[in-house]
Amino acid sequence: MSGRLAVTALLPVSLLVSAALTGCAADDTRPADPARRAAAESSTGTTAAPSTETSAEPAKPSTAADYLALAEKAMAAQKGWRFAVRGGEDLVLQGRTSGATYSATVRRTTGEPWALHSTGRIRTSKGVTRSEAVYVVDGVGHVKEGDAGWRHGPVTDPEIAAKVEDPLAALDAFEDYGDAVSHSASGRRIELRVRTASAALPAVRDQGVVRKALRELAPTLKQLRAAGVTAPQSAITVERAEETLVLDSSTYRVVSHTFRCVLRIPSGTGSIRYGQEVTERTSGPYTGAVVLPEGL
């Protein structure tokens, strides 16, 4: 969500910061020849017992990787999905807060190539509201904020990627986290989680969820640098970074995905607190097509 939200005016200390905060083996055994089996039965005076072969029940999922594989299969079974996204970001300096909230509806197809259409609204802590529309078609992102014109670029472009809220990307992210993912089950809820303990950034920066937090922070940190905040990344403290993926235990469909992080950046005699929380909830199947507006 970073790069999406406009956060302004962290004062005093002469910081006027406009921080853009913003996926059965075949059985090769041949049946016994009937004539040969009859001859064997005649010579021994016995009759072969009928086959009592039974199909083994599929193994129940027991690891995070098992659950992720089932979730990918369940989500791919539909043509597409709708998601409700809610999020917020804020910067706090000397008790003063600047922030923004975001809400959107995302329609995301599951075929190849996948496509996405998102319509949302951003509201800053100063009461300013603006609309946002995002399309991703054939690997190209198209972004329109408020009355501004459309911006275009590949989804590999960090500035475009920061605007694309793709809920199904969480499945790929959790696969990449590997053994760092824990899991638990309660009722109809299966929860996969990855988190890091509070630590100085150099001690945890190689953890996948921390790398994601740094990507989210990057546009804001760039603005802070321009405003005179010179603390190196090595001086940043990670207070919290965690990601949760909830599945339905009967269907293994994704129910929700949440990302949270809190980081502190030294500034003068104090620090700036950066926080973000985003939750994506699955609303139901989407059977439509994602088509670019005329003229794009």
Side-chain angles (χ1 to χ4, degrees):
M1 196 171 89
S2 189
R4 171 176 287 117
L5 307 183
V7 175
T8 56
L10 282 178
L11 298 174
V13 301
S14 70
L15 285 180
L16 181 57
V17 180
S18 179
L21 304 181
T22 18
C24 15
D27 186 353
D28 292 331
T29 304
R30 297 182 178 180
D33 181 79
R36 182 177 299 173
R37 185 174 61 187
E41 292 172 358
S42 176
S43 65
T44 60
T46 61
T47 302
S51 172
T52 58
E53 293 181 0
T54 58
S55 298
E57 292 186 4
K60 293 183 178 181
S62 60
T63 67
D66 292 340
Y67 288 119
L68 287 170
L70 290 169
E72 286 187 348
K73 184 177 179 180
M75 299 306 282
Q78 293 288 338
K79 179 181 178 180
W81 295 92
R82 288 181 294 107
F83 302 88
V85 181
R86 299 287 184 274
E89 287 180 312
D90 58 62
L91 288 173
V92 181
L93 173 64
Q94 295 183 352
R96 300 187 178 220
T97 302
S98 292
T101 58
Y102 175 74
S103 62
T105 297
V106 176
R107 307 153 193 89
R108 207 275 204 188
T109 66
T110 59
E112 288 295 340
W114 61 269
L116 178 148
H117 177 209
S118 172
T119 51
R121 189 167 295 275
I122 301 162
R123 182 179 177 83
T124 72
S125 55
K126 294 184 176 297
V128 178
T129 301
R130 72 176 186 274
S131 61
E132 180 184 82
V134 178
Y135 285 88
V136 176
V137 176
D138 293 329
V140 178
H142 310 266
V143 179
K144 180 175 174 60
E145 297 176 284
D147 296 329
W150 287 93
R151 290 187 292 135
H152 317 276
V155 290
T156 53
D157 180 337
E159 291 190 5
I160 295 295
K163 303 292 183 179
V164 178
E165 201 71 50
D166 178 11
L168 291 186
L171 293 171
D172 293 332
F174 270 72
E175 284 187 351
D176 290 342
Y177 294 156
D179 293 340
V181 181
S182 64
H183 67 278
S184 61
S186 177
R188 291 194 59 180
R189 175 188 175 99
I190 297 168
E191 184 175 284
L192 307 180
R193 182 187 297 271
V194 60
R195 64 173 64 178
T196 187
S198 178
L201 178 59
V204 294
R205 70 178 308 144
D206 290 336
Q207 296 181 19
V209 70
V210 175
R211 291 198 299 269
K212 179 170 182 175
L214 289 176
R215 289 195 299 270
E216 297 298 320
L217 173 66
T220 300
L221 191 59
K222 182 178 180 180
Q223 295 290 332
L224 291 173
R225 295 278 189 254
V229 177
T230 59
Q233 276 201 9
S234 59
I236 293 175
T237 298
V238 180
E239 287 193 358
R240 180 182 193 182
E242 68 176 358
E243 200 164 355
T244 305
L245 189 66
V246 177
L247 311 179
D248 184 297
S249 63
S250 62
T251 64
Y252 300 108
R253 292 176 178 175
V254 174
V255 175
S256 66
H257 166 241
T258 300
F259 173 78
R260 303 181 182 92
C261 69
V262 175
L263 301 96
R264 287 194 178 273
I265 305 114
S267 175
T269 58
S271 65
I272 300 171
R273 178 190 183 275
Y274 167 82
Q276 180 186 138
E277 179 170 343
V278 182
T279 296
E280 304 152 342
R281 298 187 183 278
T282 306
S283 302
Y286 174 68
T287 58
V290 174
V291 180
L292 291 175
E294 188 173 350
L296 278 186

